[in-house]
Amino acid sequence: MKTDPDKTPKRDPNTGRFAGKKKDKANANTHGLGMGVNATEEHQMLIRNVIYYLTGLFFDDRLAYEPFPETSYLREQGGPAPDISLYDRENATHPLIIEFTTRNAYQEDIKKCRLAMQKLYGIKEAVIYEFQKGDWTRLRILKGKIVQEEGESFSTVIGLDIAKMLKGKH
């Protein structure tokens, strides 16, 4: 049996591994949504503070949804993972996602959240915070359409202002 030399897998000369298709590093393991882990201290501190506050409410039975940090809302490994998602166990959905972002990634993260809301059933709202300038954006579904509201940090899904969680004013 002859093999076609053009279809024979090629090895990387540096690693010796078979070279596959080149992947877009920005979208690797994100299903094209591009959400991934951002490990700066400031970014992680914001996630920690909001998770801490929301987890307290959840375990005190004052919040219906369970908060998770950087957890895929798809049931497969490597799926899109917003910074924070609130999980509705009863309906197996994530009605709220929260993203913390930088000035350079702000508009792109808004697009990613919008795409996630369009593609994935159950996300009713996304709150995005650009922590370098202090800008907030809320995306939510109203009458079947995604509405973008600048300057909004209040989540209608949970009835709480995310900005106040960052300032310790609960």
Side-chain angles (χ1 to χ4, degrees), residues 12-101:
D12 182 303
N14 298 320
T15 66
R17 295 182 180 154
F18 284 109
K21 294 179 182 175
K22 291 191 176 194
K23 291 183 180 179
D24 177 2
K25 289 181 182 179
N27 285 317
N29 296 321
T30 63
H31 296 269
L33 296 178
M35 291 180 187
V37 176
N38 180 348
T40 67
E41 290 84 359
E42 185 175 10
H43 184 266
Q44 296 302 317
M45 179 194 66
L46 293 168
I47 294 169
R48 178 200 62 208
N49 290 351
V50 173
I51 284 289
Y52 178 80
Y53 178 73
L54 292 173
T55 300
L57 292 176
F58 177 76
F59 285 119
D60 285 346
D61 293 323
R62 296 186 301 160
L63 182 65
Y65 309 123
E66 187 170 3
F68 286 98
E70 297 176 336
T71 303
S72 175
Y73 36 73
L74 298 179
R75 292 281 183 231
E76 52 195 73
Q77 187 176 1
D83 292 327
I84 298 173
S85 60
L86 277 80
Y87 183 61
D88 178 354
R89 287 191 180 276
E90 193 173 302
N91 296 304
T93 61
H94 295 263
L96 171 63
I97 59 175
I98 302 168
E99 276 292 316
F100 300 106
T101 188

Side-chain angles (χ1 to χ4, degrees), residues 54 62-65 85-88 93-98 117 122-127 138-141 153-162:
L54 292 173
R62 296 186 301 160
L63 182 65
Y65 309 123
S85 60
L86 277 80
Y87 183 61
D88 178 354
T93 61
H94 295 263
L96 171 63
I97 59 175
I98 302 168
M117 293 173 76
I123 301 174
K124 297 176 183 171
E125 187 174 68
V127 178
R138 177 178 64 198
L139 302 174
R140 60 184 174 144
I141 298 175
S153 59
F154 185 85
S155 169
T156 58
V157 169
I158 59 174
L160 296 168
D161 192 338
I162 309 301

